[in-house]
Amino acid sequence: MPPIPPITKALMLICTAMFCLDALLRSFIGPVLPLWFALWPLGTEHFMPWQPFTFVFVHTDVLGLFFNMLALWMFGAELERLWGYRRYVQFLLAATVTAAICYLLLSLAVSAFAPAMGSAPMLYATLLASAMLFPDRTIMPLFPPIPMKQRTFVMVFGAIVLFSGLGTRTVAPFAYLGGMAGAWLIIRYWRGQAPFPPKRRR
């Protein structure tokens, strides 16, 4: 197993530390961290300007934390080794901010009041990036355990998130798709592909 690159390792440690701190604080004073660092809809008393950057570090479910960190290690670490830490940070920031914008706009449209939290937007972004870079790679998902091309897996996964969001009262799943949109846009920008102008060769 190759060593975990520094940015991926830092994200895993921060998310785990935030989860443990939240569990500790809940025992004494209640859910303080979600109130401060989860992404609350605009117009609510809990919204703060830093939340579009911090909501990806907040987890309240141990299984969600485990699978998010596992996916971040599986897909994000490879991208960091390929791109280097500077471009990898730009990529994650674009995905996070785009997901936050999508969530805030949708929550206004449907008058949602529940917060968005968790690193899922970054993970969906790494999935899409991996599929764009290695579309013909065959992978074996945990569910369903059927070999498939990576690009097929991402399309199926995105469709599942979309339809799951249609059946709930929360707009958070659509924020995950916003993370994928941010990943697609920044990769197209780096490549000089539409909707961005082509890059000039020097």
Side-chain angles (χ1 to χ4, degrees):
M1 184 178 66
I4 304 175
I7 299 301
T8 301
K9 181 186 293 186
L11 290 173
M12 295 173 69
L13 290 175
I14 291 171
C15 290
T16 304
M18 290 276 284
F19 176 82
C20 294
L21 181 60
D22 177 61
L24 179 63
L25 292 176
R26 282 174 184 269
S27 303
F28 297 98
I29 57 177
V32 176
L33 294 187
L35 289 177
W36 280 88
F37 298 110
L39 180 59
W40 291 84
L42 293 171
T44 63
E45 60 179 344
H46 299 303
F47 175 78
M48 297 294 175
W50 58 79
Q51 292 174 354
F53 305 96
T54 61
F55 76 101
V56 291
F57 302 119
V58 182
H59 298 79
T60 58
D61 176 61
V62 66
L63 286 179
L65 173 68
F66 173 77
F67 284 110
N68 283 354
M69 297 303 99
L70 177 64
L72 184 64
W73 167 69
M74 291 175 60
F75 295 96
E78 181 181 34
L79 296 176
E80 183 178 354
R81 286 191 291 267
L82 178 67
W83 287 335
Y85 73 92
R86 293 183 184 274
R87 179 159 286 196
Y88 183 58
V89 169
Q90 294 173 4
F91 169 81
L92 294 179
L93 185 61
T96 299
V97 172
T98 306
I101 292 173
C102 288
Y103 172 76
L104 293 175
L105 292 177
L106 287 169
S107 63
L108 283 176
V110 301
S111 300
F113 298 100
M117 65 183 79
S119 55
M122 293 193 300
L123 305 183
Y124 282 64
T126 60
L127 278 173
L128 179 66
S130 186
M132 292 177 69
L133 296 172
F134 314 106
D136 295 322
R137 174 189 288 172
T138 300
I139 63 173
M140 176 73 78
L142 292 175
F143 183 82
I146 302 172
M148 63 180 71
K149 299 291 186 182
Q150 192 147 296
R151 59 186 170 191
T152 304
F153 172 73
V154 170
M155 288 189 290
V156 171
F157 210 63
I160 291 174
V161 174
L162 177 61
F163 285 108
S164 68
L166 292 175
T168 65
R169 293 186 177 182
T170 177
V171 297
F174 298 98
Y176 305 160
L177 297 180
M180 298 178 80
W184 183 81
L185 286 171
I186 195 168
I187 291 176
R188 300 280 293 187
Y189 171 74
W190 288 338
R191 293 176 174 177
Q193 297 174 328
F196 304 100
K199 291 186 176 295
R200 298 179 179 178
R201 295 184 178 180
R202 295 180 180 179

